[in-house]
Amino acid sequence: MKKVFIIGIVASGKTTLAKRLSEKIKVPWYELDCIVHHQTAAGRYKRTAEEQMEVINNIDMNGTWIFEGTDRESYRCLLEMADTIIFLDTPLWKRRLRIFTRFLKQKIGIEPCHYKSDLKMLNRMYQWTRDFESKWESFEARLLPHKSKVIRLTDSRSLHFVT
């Protein structure tokens, strides 16, 4: 595994798996949310799709990487670029619980985040989860051409299955 794309919906365990896999195989990992939403001294702004691709291509020139993120049109090219695609197919009930737990941890300051953790964001995360569930078939169709390199996990702790 030299180029790994970990994909899943909000609270599926992408970041946890990316950190563990990065340590295990000694490959740097990148949060796609941080590529999409760039932090500068002036604040956080959303990069254009072209700017996102420029960042991704610059990282790709280094040869090895782990990207983790949700299914966004602006970086679906990673499905082609990756030699391994790990789809975290975490059960819906677990994702819903994690979203709420994460929100509480962020509100009391024991978990950092790159965005404003408020009720509006909490609602958006639940909405993204509903949207993903309603568009499941189209997501599966996007994975189908890459089925030979897709590993489907139901838990981010299943790392021993992918190395």
Short mmCIF file of all heavy atoms in Angstrom, two decimals, residues 77-130:
data_model
loop_
_atom_site.label_atom_id
_atom_site.label_comp_id
_atom_site.label_asym_id
_atom_site.label_seq_id
_atom_site.Cartn_x
_atom_site.Cartn_y
_atom_site.Cartn_z
N CYS A 77 -11.16 11.89 -8.01
CA CYS A 77 -10.00 11.42 -8.76
C CYS A 77 -9.15 10.47 -7.92
O CYS A 77 -8.41 9.64 -8.46
CB CYS A 77 -9.15 12.59 -9.23
SG CYS A 77 -8.53 13.59 -7.86
N LEU A 78 -9.26 10.59 -6.59
CA LEU A 78 -8.49 9.72 -5.70
C LEU A 78 -8.89 8.26 -5.85
O LEU A 78 -8.09 7.36 -5.57
CB LEU A 78 -8.63 10.18 -4.25
CG LEU A 78 -7.93 11.50 -3.94
CD1 LEU A 78 -8.32 12.00 -2.56
CD2 LEU A 78 -6.42 11.36 -4.05
N LEU A 79 -10.10 8.00 -6.31
CA LEU A 79 -10.51 6.62 -6.57
C LEU A 79 -9.62 6.01 -7.64
O LEU A 79 -9.26 4.83 -7.56
CB LEU A 79 -11.98 6.55 -6.98
CG LEU A 79 -13.01 6.95 -5.93
CD1 LEU A 79 -14.40 7.09 -6.54
CD2 LEU A 79 -13.02 5.96 -4.77
N GLU A 80 -9.24 6.81 -8.63
CA GLU A 80 -8.33 6.35 -9.68
C GLU A 80 -6.88 6.32 -9.20
O GLU A 80 -6.14 5.38 -9.48
CB GLU A 80 -8.42 7.27 -10.91
CG GLU A 80 -9.72 7.22 -11.66
CD GLU A 80 -9.93 5.91 -12.39
OE1 GLU A 80 -8.93 5.26 -12.78
OE2 GLU A 80 -11.10 5.52 -12.56
N MET A 81 -6.47 7.35 -8.48
CA MET A 81 -5.08 7.51 -8.08
C MET A 81 -4.63 6.50 -7.03
O MET A 81 -3.46 6.11 -7.00
CB MET A 81 -4.86 8.93 -7.53
CG MET A 81 -5.05 10.02 -8.57
SD MET A 81 -5.13 11.67 -7.83
CE MET A 81 -3.42 11.92 -7.37
N ALA A 82 -5.54 6.07 -6.18
CA ALA A 82 -5.18 5.17 -5.08
C ALA A 82 -4.89 3.76 -5.58
O ALA A 82 -5.52 3.28 -6.52
CB ALA A 82 -6.33 5.13 -4.07
N ASP A 83 -3.95 3.10 -4.91
CA ASP A 83 -3.75 1.67 -5.18
C ASP A 83 -4.60 0.83 -4.24
O ASP A 83 -4.84 -0.35 -4.49
CB ASP A 83 -2.29 1.26 -5.14
CG ASP A 83 -1.61 1.49 -3.79
OD1 ASP A 83 -2.25 1.31 -2.74
OD2 ASP A 83 -0.43 1.87 -3.78
N THR A 84 -5.07 1.46 -3.14
CA THR A 84 -5.95 0.79 -2.19
C THR A 84 -7.03 1.78 -1.75
O THR A 84 -6.72 2.92 -1.40
CB THR A 84 -5.17 0.33 -0.94
OG1 THR A 84 -4.08 -0.51 -1.35
CG2 THR A 84 -6.08 -0.44 0.02
N ILE A 85 -8.27 1.35 -1.78
CA ILE A 85 -9.40 2.15 -1.30
C ILE A 85 -10.00 1.41 -0.12
O ILE A 85 -10.39 0.24 -0.26
CB ILE A 85 -10.47 2.35 -2.40
CG1 ILE A 85 -9.87 3.06 -3.61
CG2 ILE A 85 -11.67 3.12 -1.84
CD1 ILE A 85 -10.74 2.98 -4.87
N ILE A 86 -10.03 2.07 1.02
CA ILE A 86 -10.66 1.46 2.19
C ILE A 86 -11.97 2.20 2.44
O ILE A 86 -11.97 3.40 2.72
CB ILE A 86 -9.75 1.53 3.43
CG1 ILE A 86 -8.42 0.82 3.16
CG2 ILE A 86 -10.47 0.93 4.64
CD1 ILE A 86 -7.40 0.96 4.27
N PHE A 87 -13.06 1.47 2.31
CA PHE A 87 -14.37 2.06 2.57
C PHE A 87 -14.79 1.64 3.98
O PHE A 87 -14.95 0.45 4.27
CB PHE A 87 -15.39 1.59 1.54
CG PHE A 87 -16.81 1.94 1.87
CD1 PHE A 87 -17.14 3.16 2.46
CD2 PHE A 87 -17.83 1.05 1.61
CE1 PHE A 87 -18.46 3.48 2.77
CE2 PHE A 87 -19.15 1.34 1.91
CZ PHE A 87 -19.46 2.56 2.50
N LEU A 88 -14.92 2.63 4.85
CA LEU A 88 -15.39 2.37 6.20
C LEU A 88 -16.91 2.38 6.20
O LEU A 88 -17.54 3.43 6.17
CB LEU A 88 -14.83 3.41 7.17
CG LEU A 88 -13.46 3.03 7.73
CD1 LEU A 88 -12.85 4.19 8.48
CD2 LEU A 88 -13.55 1.81 8.61
N ASP A 89 -17.46 1.21 6.21
CA ASP A 89 -18.90 0.99 6.14
C ASP A 89 -19.44 0.75 7.54
O ASP A 89 -19.96 -0.31 7.86
CB ASP A 89 -19.16 -0.21 5.22
CG ASP A 89 -20.61 -0.38 4.86
OD1 ASP A 89 -21.42 0.51 5.19
OD2 ASP A 89 -20.93 -1.43 4.26
N THR A 90 -19.28 1.76 8.39
CA THR A 90 -19.67 1.67 9.80
C THR A 90 -21.19 1.71 9.92
O THR A 90 -21.84 2.49 9.23
CB THR A 90 -19.04 2.85 10.57
OG1 THR A 90 -17.65 2.90 10.26
CG2 THR A 90 -19.22 2.71 12.06
N PRO A 91 -21.77 0.90 10.81
CA PRO A 91 -23.24 0.90 10.97
C PRO A 91 -23.78 2.29 11.31
O PRO A 91 -23.15 3.07 12.04
CB PRO A 91 -23.46 -0.07 12.13
CG PRO A 91 -22.23 -0.92 12.18
CD PRO A 91 -21.12 -0.06 11.69
N LEU A 92 -24.96 2.58 10.79
CA LEU A 92 -25.60 3.87 10.98
C LEU A 92 -25.76 4.24 12.46
O LEU A 92 -25.46 5.36 12.86
CB LEU A 92 -26.97 3.89 10.28
CG LEU A 92 -27.80 5.15 10.42
CD1 LEU A 92 -27.08 6.37 9.86
CD2 LEU A 92 -29.15 4.96 9.71
N TRP A 93 -26.19 3.32 13.29
CA TRP A 93 -26.40 3.62 14.70
C TRP A 93 -25.11 4.07 15.36
O TRP A 93 -25.10 4.97 16.19
CB TRP A 93 -27.00 2.42 15.45
CG TRP A 93 -26.06 1.25 15.60
CD1 TRP A 93 -25.95 0.17 14.78
CD2 TRP A 93 -25.07 1.07 16.62
NE1 TRP A 93 -24.96 -0.68 15.21
CE2 TRP A 93 -24.40 -0.15 16.36
CE3 TRP A 93 -24.68 1.82 17.73
CZ2 TRP A 93 -23.37 -0.64 17.15
CZ3 TRP A 93 -23.64 1.32 18.54
CH2 TRP A 93 -23.01 0.11 18.25
N LYS A 94 -23.98 3.45 14.97
CA LYS A 94 -22.69 3.79 15.57
C LYS A 94 -22.24 5.18 15.12
O LYS A 94 -21.72 5.96 15.91
CB LYS A 94 -21.65 2.74 15.19
CG LYS A 94 -20.32 2.91 15.92
CD LYS A 94 -19.32 1.84 15.54
CE LYS A 94 -19.61 0.58 16.28
NZ LYS A 94 -18.55 -0.45 16.12
N ARG A 95 -22.47 5.50 13.85
CA ARG A 95 -22.10 6.84 13.36
C ARG A 95 -22.92 7.91 14.04
O ARG A 95 -22.38 8.97 14.43
CB ARG A 95 -22.29 6.91 11.84
CG ARG A 95 -21.22 6.13 11.10
CD ARG A 95 -21.35 6.27 9.60
NE ARG A 95 -22.32 5.31 9.11
CZ ARG A 95 -23.35 5.60 8.34
NH1 ARG A 95 -23.58 6.82 7.93
NH2 ARG A 95 -24.17 4.66 7.93
N ARG A 96 -24.21 7.67 14.22
CA ARG A 96 -25.06 8.67 14.90
C ARG A 96 -24.59 8.90 16.33
O ARG A 96 -24.52 10.03 16.79
CB ARG A 96 -26.52 8.21 14.89
CG ARG A 96 -27.17 8.34 13.54
CD ARG A 96 -28.60 7.86 13.59
NE ARG A 96 -29.27 8.12 12.33
CZ ARG A 96 -30.37 7.48 11.95
NH1 ARG A 96 -30.91 6.56 12.74
NH2 ARG A 96 -30.92 7.76 10.79
N LEU A 97 -24.26 7.84 17.02
CA LEU A 97 -23.77 7.95 18.40
C LEU A 97 -22.43 8.71 18.43
O LEU A 97 -22.22 9.58 19.27
CB LEU A 97 -23.63 6.57 19.02
CG LEU A 97 -23.12 6.52 20.46
CD1 LEU A 97 -24.07 7.27 21.40
CD2 LEU A 97 -22.96 5.07 20.91
N ARG A 98 -21.54 8.38 17.50
CA ARG A 98 -20.25 9.05 17.44
C ARG A 98 -20.38 10.55 17.15
O ARG A 98 -19.62 11.35 17.68
CB ARG A 98 -19.36 8.40 16.38
CG ARG A 98 -18.81 7.08 16.78
CD ARG A 98 -17.99 6.51 15.65
NE ARG A 98 -17.40 5.24 16.00
CZ ARG A 98 -16.76 4.47 15.12
NH1 ARG A 98 -16.64 4.84 13.86
NH2 ARG A 98 -16.24 3.33 15.51
N ILE A 99 -21.31 10.91 16.29
CA ILE A 99 -21.52 12.33 15.98
C ILE A 99 -21.87 13.08 17.25
O ILE A 99 -21.30 14.14 17.54
CB ILE A 99 -22.61 12.51 14.90
CG1 ILE A 99 -22.10 12.04 13.54
CG2 ILE A 99 -23.06 13.97 14.82
CD1 ILE A 99 -23.19 11.91 12.48
N PHE A 100 -22.80 12.54 18.01
CA PHE A 100 -23.23 13.21 19.24
C PHE A 100 -22.11 13.23 20.29
O PHE A 100 -21.86 14.25 20.93
CB PHE A 100 -24.50 12.57 19.80
CG PHE A 100 -25.07 13.33 20.96
CD1 PHE A 100 -25.65 14.57 20.76
CD2 PHE A 100 -24.99 12.82 22.24
CE1 PHE A 100 -26.16 15.30 21.83
CE2 PHE A 100 -25.50 13.54 23.32
CZ PHE A 100 -26.08 14.78 23.11
N THR A 101 -21.42 12.11 20.44
CA THR A 101 -20.31 12.03 21.40
C THR A 101 -19.21 13.01 21.02
O THR A 101 -18.65 13.71 21.89
CB THR A 101 -19.76 10.59 21.45
OG1 THR A 101 -20.83 9.70 21.78
CG2 THR A 101 -18.65 10.45 22.46
N ARG A 102 -18.88 13.09 19.76
CA ARG A 102 -17.86 14.04 19.29
C ARG A 102 -18.28 15.47 19.60
O ARG A 102 -17.48 16.27 20.07
CB ARG A 102 -17.65 13.87 17.78
CG ARG A 102 -16.67 14.86 17.18
CD ARG A 102 -16.62 14.76 15.68
NE ARG A 102 -16.06 13.48 15.28
CZ ARG A 102 -16.14 13.01 14.04
NH1 ARG A 102 -16.76 13.69 13.09
NH2 ARG A 102 -15.60 11.86 13.74
N PHE A 103 -19.53 15.78 19.34
CA PHE A 103 -20.04 17.13 19.63
C PHE A 103 -19.86 17.46 21.11
O PHE A 103 -19.36 18.54 21.46
CB PHE A 103 -21.52 17.21 19.23
CG PHE A 103 -22.20 18.48 19.64
CD1 PHE A 103 -21.95 19.67 18.98
CD2 PHE A 103 -23.08 18.48 20.71
CE1 PHE A 103 -22.58 20.85 19.36
CE2 PHE A 103 -23.73 19.66 21.10
CZ PHE A 103 -23.45 20.84 20.42
N LEU A 104 -20.24 16.54 21.99
CA LEU A 104 -20.08 16.78 23.43
C LEU A 104 -18.62 16.96 23.81
O LEU A 104 -18.28 17.88 24.58
CB LEU A 104 -20.69 15.63 24.23
CG LEU A 104 -22.21 15.50 24.19
CD1 LEU A 104 -22.66 14.28 24.98
CD2 LEU A 104 -22.89 16.76 24.71
N LYS A 105 -17.74 16.12 23.30
CA LYS A 105 -16.31 16.23 23.60
C LYS A 105 -15.74 17.56 23.13
O LYS A 105 -14.91 18.17 23.81
CB LYS A 105 -15.54 15.08 22.97
CG LYS A 105 -15.75 13.75 23.64
CD LYS A 105 -14.96 12.67 22.91
CE LYS A 105 -15.11 11.31 23.55
NZ LYS A 105 -14.34 10.29 22.81
N GLN A 106 -16.17 18.02 21.97
CA GLN A 106 -15.70 19.30 21.45
C GLN A 106 -16.22 20.46 22.29
O GLN A 106 -15.50 21.42 22.56
CB GLN A 106 -16.10 19.47 19.98
CG GLN A 106 -15.36 18.52 19.07
CD GLN A 106 -15.93 18.45 17.68
OE1 GLN A 106 -17.02 18.94 17.39
NE2 GLN A 106 -15.20 17.82 16.78
N LYS A 107 -17.47 20.36 22.71
CA LYS A 107 -18.07 21.44 23.52
C LYS A 107 -17.38 21.59 24.88
O LYS A 107 -17.26 22.70 25.38
CB LYS A 107 -19.58 21.22 23.71
CG LYS A 107 -20.40 21.38 22.45
CD LYS A 107 -20.11 22.63 21.66
CE LYS A 107 -20.75 23.85 22.20
NZ LYS A 107 -20.45 25.06 21.43
N ILE A 108 -16.96 20.48 25.47
CA ILE A 108 -16.29 20.59 26.77
C ILE A 108 -14.77 20.71 26.65
O ILE A 108 -14.08 20.82 27.65
CB ILE A 108 -16.68 19.44 27.73
CG1 ILE A 108 -16.26 18.08 27.18
CG2 ILE A 108 -18.17 19.47 28.03
CD1 ILE A 108 -16.50 16.92 28.16
N GLY A 109 -14.28 20.71 25.41
CA GLY A 109 -12.87 21.00 25.16
C GLY A 109 -11.91 19.85 25.25
O GLY A 109 -10.70 20.07 25.33
N ILE A 110 -12.38 18.62 25.20
CA ILE A 110 -11.45 17.49 25.26
C ILE A 110 -11.14 16.89 23.88
O ILE A 110 -10.32 16.00 23.78
CB ILE A 110 -11.92 16.39 26.23
CG1 ILE A 110 -13.25 15.79 25.81
CG2 ILE A 110 -11.98 16.91 27.65
CD1 ILE A 110 -13.68 14.58 26.64
N GLU A 111 -11.79 17.41 22.85
CA GLU A 111 -11.48 16.98 21.49
C GLU A 111 -11.40 18.21 20.60
O GLU A 111 -12.37 18.97 20.50
CB GLU A 111 -12.55 16.02 20.95
CG GLU A 111 -12.21 15.49 19.57
CD GLU A 111 -13.19 14.43 19.08
OE1 GLU A 111 -13.41 13.46 19.81
OE2 GLU A 111 -13.71 14.60 17.96
N PRO A 112 -10.25 18.43 19.95
CA PRO A 112 -10.12 19.59 19.07
C PRO A 112 -10.89 19.38 17.77
O PRO A 112 -11.19 18.25 17.39
CB PRO A 112 -8.61 19.67 18.81
CG PRO A 112 -8.14 18.26 18.97
CD PRO A 112 -9.03 17.62 20.00
N CYS A 113 -11.19 20.48 17.08
CA CYS A 113 -11.82 20.38 15.76
C CYS A 113 -11.39 21.58 14.92
O CYS A 113 -10.95 22.59 15.43
CB CYS A 113 -13.34 20.28 15.87
SG CYS A 113 -14.14 21.71 16.55
N HIS A 114 -11.55 21.42 13.61
CA HIS A 114 -11.13 22.44 12.65
C HIS A 114 -12.29 23.36 12.25
O HIS A 114 -12.14 24.18 11.37
CB HIS A 114 -10.58 21.79 11.37
CG HIS A 114 -9.48 20.82 11.61
ND1 HIS A 114 -8.26 21.19 12.10
CD2 HIS A 114 -9.41 19.48 11.44
CE1 HIS A 114 -7.48 20.13 12.21
NE2 HIS A 114 -8.17 19.08 11.82
N TYR A 115 -13.42 23.19 12.85
CA TYR A 115 -14.61 23.94 12.48
C TYR A 115 -15.30 24.44 13.74
O TYR A 115 -14.93 24.06 14.86
CB TYR A 115 -15.57 23.06 11.67
CG TYR A 115 -15.85 21.72 12.33
CD1 TYR A 115 -16.83 21.60 13.32
CD2 TYR A 115 -15.11 20.59 12.00
CE1 TYR A 115 -17.07 20.39 13.95
CE2 TYR A 115 -15.34 19.38 12.64
CZ TYR A 115 -16.31 19.28 13.60
OH TYR A 115 -16.54 18.09 14.23
N LYS A 116 -16.31 25.26 13.57
CA LYS A 116 -17.06 25.75 14.71
C LYS A 116 -18.04 24.67 15.15
O LYS A 116 -18.98 24.33 14.43
CB LYS A 116 -17.81 27.04 14.34
CG LYS A 116 -18.53 27.67 15.51
CD LYS A 116 -19.19 28.97 15.10
CE LYS A 116 -19.94 29.57 16.28
NZ LYS A 116 -20.67 30.77 15.89
N SER A 117 -17.81 24.14 16.33
CA SER A 117 -18.66 23.08 16.85
C SER A 117 -19.87 23.71 17.55
O SER A 117 -19.77 24.18 18.67
CB SER A 117 -17.87 22.20 17.83
OG SER A 117 -18.68 21.16 18.29
N ASP A 118 -20.99 23.73 16.85
CA ASP A 118 -22.21 24.29 17.41
C ASP A 118 -23.40 23.44 16.95
O ASP A 118 -23.22 22.45 16.24
CB ASP A 118 -22.38 25.76 17.01
CG ASP A 118 -22.36 25.98 15.50
OD1 ASP A 118 -22.51 25.01 14.73
OD2 ASP A 118 -22.20 27.14 15.08
N LEU A 119 -24.58 23.81 17.38
CA LEU A 119 -25.77 23.02 17.03
C LEU A 119 -26.01 22.99 15.52
O LEU A 119 -26.48 21.98 14.98
CB LEU A 119 -27.00 23.54 17.76
CG LEU A 119 -27.03 23.27 19.26
CD1 LEU A 119 -28.25 23.94 19.90
CD2 LEU A 119 -27.03 21.77 19.55
N LYS A 120 -25.67 24.07 14.85
CA LYS A 120 -25.82 24.10 13.39
C LYS A 120 -24.94 23.03 12.74
O LYS A 120 -25.39 22.29 11.86
CB LYS A 120 -25.47 25.49 12.86
CG LYS A 120 -25.64 25.63 11.38
CD LYS A 120 -25.33 27.05 10.92
CE LYS A 120 -25.47 27.17 9.42
NZ LYS A 120 -25.14 28.52 8.95
N MET A 121 -23.69 22.92 13.20
CA MET A 121 -22.79 21.90 12.64
C MET A 121 -23.26 20.50 13.02
O MET A 121 -23.21 19.58 12.20
CB MET A 121 -21.36 22.13 13.13
CG MET A 121 -20.36 21.14 12.54
SD MET A 121 -20.33 21.05 10.74
CE MET A 121 -19.25 22.40 10.37
N LEU A 122 -23.73 20.33 14.23
CA LEU A 122 -24.27 19.03 14.65
C LEU A 122 -25.40 18.61 13.72
O LEU A 122 -25.43 17.48 13.22
CB LEU A 122 -24.75 19.10 16.10
CG LEU A 122 -25.39 17.83 16.66
CD1 LEU A 122 -24.38 16.70 16.76
CD2 LEU A 122 -26.01 18.12 18.02
N ASN A 123 -26.32 19.52 13.45
CA ASN A 123 -27.42 19.22 12.54
C ASN A 123 -26.92 18.91 11.14
O ASN A 123 -27.46 18.03 10.47
CB ASN A 123 -28.42 20.39 12.51
CG ASN A 123 -29.27 20.43 13.75
OD1 ASN A 123 -29.58 19.40 14.33
ND2 ASN A 123 -29.65 21.63 14.18
N ARG A 124 -25.90 19.65 10.68
CA ARG A 124 -25.35 19.39 9.34
C ARG A 124 -24.76 17.99 9.26
O ARG A 124 -24.91 17.31 8.25
CB ARG A 124 -24.31 20.44 8.99
CG ARG A 124 -24.93 21.81 8.75
CD ARG A 124 -23.90 22.88 8.60
NE ARG A 124 -23.38 22.85 7.24
CZ ARG A 124 -22.30 23.53 6.85
NH1 ARG A 124 -21.66 24.27 7.71
NH2 ARG A 124 -21.91 23.47 5.62
N MET A 125 -24.08 17.56 10.32
CA MET A 125 -23.49 16.22 10.31
C MET A 125 -24.57 15.14 10.22
O MET A 125 -24.41 14.16 9.48
CB MET A 125 -22.61 16.01 11.54
CG MET A 125 -21.33 16.79 11.47
SD MET A 125 -20.30 16.39 12.88
CE MET A 125 -18.91 17.46 12.54
N TYR A 126 -25.65 15.33 10.95
CA TYR A 126 -26.75 14.38 10.84
C TYR A 126 -27.39 14.44 9.45
O TYR A 126 -27.78 13.41 8.88
CB TYR A 126 -27.80 14.61 11.93
CG TYR A 126 -27.38 14.08 13.28
CD1 TYR A 126 -27.28 14.92 14.37
CD2 TYR A 126 -27.08 12.73 13.45
CE1 TYR A 126 -26.89 14.43 15.63
CE2 TYR A 126 -26.69 12.23 14.69
CZ TYR A 126 -26.60 13.09 15.77
OH TYR A 126 -26.23 12.59 16.99
N GLN A 127 -27.48 15.64 8.88
CA GLN A 127 -28.03 15.78 7.53
C GLN A 127 -27.14 15.09 6.50
O GLN A 127 -27.63 14.40 5.61
CB GLN A 127 -28.21 17.25 7.16
CG GLN A 127 -28.84 17.47 5.79
CD GLN A 127 -30.23 16.90 5.68
OE1 GLN A 127 -31.08 17.18 6.52
NE2 GLN A 127 -30.49 16.08 4.67
N TRP A 128 -25.81 15.27 6.61
CA TRP A 128 -24.88 14.60 5.69
C TRP A 128 -25.03 13.08 5.80
O TRP A 128 -24.96 12.37 4.79
CB TRP A 128 -23.44 15.00 5.98
CG TRP A 128 -23.14 16.43 5.70
CD1 TRP A 128 -23.70 17.24 4.75
CD2 TRP A 128 -22.20 17.25 6.40
NE1 TRP A 128 -23.17 18.50 4.81
CE2 TRP A 128 -22.24 18.54 5.82
CE3 TRP A 128 -21.33 17.04 7.46
CZ2 TRP A 128 -21.43 19.59 6.24
CZ3 TRP A 128 -20.52 18.08 7.89
CH2 TRP A 128 -20.58 19.34 7.28
N THR A 129 -25.25 12.60 7.01
CA THR A 129 -25.45 11.17 7.22
C THR A 129 -26.72 10.70 6.52
O THR A 129 -26.73 9.67 5.83
CB THR A 129 -25.49 10.85 8.72
OG1 THR A 129 -24.23 11.22 9.29
CG2 THR A 129 -25.73 9.38 8.97
N ARG A 130 -27.81 11.45 6.68
CA ARG A 130 -29.07 11.09 5.99
C ARG A 130 -28.88 11.14 4.47
O ARG A 130 -29.37 10.25 3.76
CB ARG A 130 -30.20 12.04 6.41
CG ARG A 130 -30.75 11.74 7.80
CD ARG A 130 -32.00 12.56 8.11
NE ARG A 130 -31.78 14.01 8.12
CZ ARG A 130 -31.35 14.69 9.17
NH1 ARG A 130 -31.08 14.09 10.31
NH2 ARG A 130 -31.19 16.00 9.10
#
